[in-house]
């Protein structure tokens, strides 16, 4: 019997930052998913992953993020692997690339600052019904100290996780506060432990395949949201 519904934030409750990434790829003339491959290819030690765990502050992150994504040596290797895995013909890849980490992150956050209104209304109906515990499980940045001048640029007038977002949920599990992130199994298990449920008692919504895969392996029922 399900007792809780666990929601990802960006890409489920809020609009997906992947929309901004796709637009940035088009602007730079990059193949589809090139930047995503560069972000995920670095595994747990990339600047993006460290930022989501609260291990690096914003301004150093901008620099490291841009440096990571401008690395065509590794980026091209990871993209070729992606094409092979997807059985795609690999297009021409960049010999040199300059990605501005601040510019891209700002575009991502401004895009992700808007609600998916049908999902928000569904959450409000669920809250009113009172049948399920509603939990957010998000790779987020609320622990990070944001310089005042950057708040407007990022669209974070009320911070990375404004009260009107947090108040939708009974519990808000933020990667930067808890020092772990999806798809790390411990993050899912901690969310369950904090809320007195077993993974098999939860429904989990996310827009990223690997995050859903781990949830299923733990026993959660999963629903994939699309862009």
């Amino acid at each position: 019997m399900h007792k809780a519904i666990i929601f990802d934030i960006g890409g489920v409750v809020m609009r997906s930052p992947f929309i901004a990434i796709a637009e940035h790829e088009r602007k730079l003339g990059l193949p589809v998913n090139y930047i995503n491959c560069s972000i995920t290819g670095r595994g747990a030690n990339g600047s993006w992953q460290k930022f989501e765990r609260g291990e690096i502050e914003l301004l150093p992150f901008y620099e490291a993020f841009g440096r990571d994504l401008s690395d065509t040596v590794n980026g091209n290797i990871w993209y070729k692997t992606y094409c092979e895995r997807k059985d795609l013909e690999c297009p021409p890849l960049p010999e040199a690339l300059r990605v501005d980490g601040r510019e891209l992150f700002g575009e991502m956050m401004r895009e992700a600052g808007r609600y998916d209104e049908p999902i928000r209304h569904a959450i409000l109906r669920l809250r009113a019904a009172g049948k399920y515990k509603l939990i957010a499980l998000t790779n987020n940045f609320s622990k990070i100290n944001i310089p005042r001048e950057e708040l407007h640029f990022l669209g974070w007038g009320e911070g990375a996780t404004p009260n009107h977002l947090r108040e939708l949920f009974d519990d808000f599990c933020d990667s930067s506060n808890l020092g772990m992130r999806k798809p790390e199994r411990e993050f899912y298990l901690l969310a369950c432990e904090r809320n007195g449920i077993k993974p098999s008692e939860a429904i989990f919504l996310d827009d990223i395949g690997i995050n859903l895969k781990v949830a299923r392996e733990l026993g959660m029922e999963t629903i994939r949201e699309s862009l």
Side-chain angles (χ1 to χ4, degrees):
M1 179 179 176
H2 294 126
K3 297 181 179 179
I5 305 176
I6 303 177
F7 292 84
D8 174 41
I9 297 299
V12 176
V13 181
M14 312 296 284
R15 287 173 59 86
S16 174
F18 290 138
I19 297 171
I21 290 177
E23 179 58 33
H24 206 79
E25 288 171 339
R26 286 192 289 271
K27 183 166 61 176
L28 294 177
L30 295 172
V32 173
N33 278 328
Y34 187 91
I35 288 177
N36 289 328
C37 288
S38 290
I39 291 173
T40 59
R42 294 186 180 275
N45 294 316
S47 57
W48 178 261
Q49 291 80 357
K50 290 178 180 178
F51 191 57
E52 289 186 328
R53 292 194 300 266
E55 297 172 3
I56 182 173
E57 293 295 333
L58 180 66
L59 299 185
F61 163 71
Y62 284 159
E63 181 179 353
F65 191 43
R67 185 170 59 248
D68 282 356
L69 299 184
S70 300
D71 173 13
T72 56
V73 173
N74 286 303
N76 289 353
I77 291 171
W78 292 324
Y79 195 77
K80 288 175 183 176
T81 301
Y82 162 79
C83 290
E84 290 171 1
R85 188 174 69 250
K86 296 289 187 178
D87 196 25
L88 299 172
E89 181 178 349
C90 188
L93 300 178
E95 295 181 5
L97 178 63
R98 183 184 180 277
V99 177
D100 184 315
R102 179 178 183 268
E103 179 184 358
L104 174 57
F105 186 68
E107 291 169 358
M108 293 168 66
M109 293 305 100
R110 292 190 296 272
E111 181 65 44
R114 293 180 285 167
Y115 281 105
D116 182 310
E117 287 297 337
I119 295 291
R120 186 177 74 88
H121 287 299
I123 292 171
L124 291 173
R125 290 195 297 271
L126 287 166
R127 286 195 67 81
K131 182 178 179 181
Y132 300 103
K133 182 166 285 192
L134 303 180
I135 303 165
L137 186 69
T138 175
N139 291 349
N140 216 312
F141 324 103
S142 64
K143 177 186 174 183
I144 308 300
N145 294 317
I146 308 298
R148 184 183 301 274
E149 62 272 16
E150 290 300 298
L151 290 173
H152 177 72
F153 172 73
L154 296 171
W156 288 358
E158 300 178 63
T161 51
N163 287 337
H164 59 78
L165 173 60
R166 288 180 176 271
E167 289 169 355
L168 293 174
F169 301 97
D170 299 301
D171 190 19
F172 200 94
C173 300
D174 182 308
S175 62
S176 67
N177 282 320
L178 298 173
M180 56 186 76
R181 63 186 291 277
K182 295 175 293 185
E184 297 168 11
R185 295 167 64 92
E186 294 78 11
F187 194 26
Y188 301 76
L189 294 173
L190 179 59
C192 292
E193 180 183 338
R194 281 165 52 126
N195 290 280
I197 61 169
K198 301 174 184 177
S200 60
E201 295 172 327
I203 302 170
F204 176 64
L205 291 82
D206 205 293
D207 62 324
I208 297 178
I210 184 60
N211 294 346
L212 293 159
K213 179 176 182 289
V214 172
R216 285 194 299 272
E217 290 172 351
L218 292 171
M220 296 181 185
E221 182 177 337
T222 61
I223 299 173
R224 182 165 191 167
E225 289 293 311
S226 57
L227 294 181

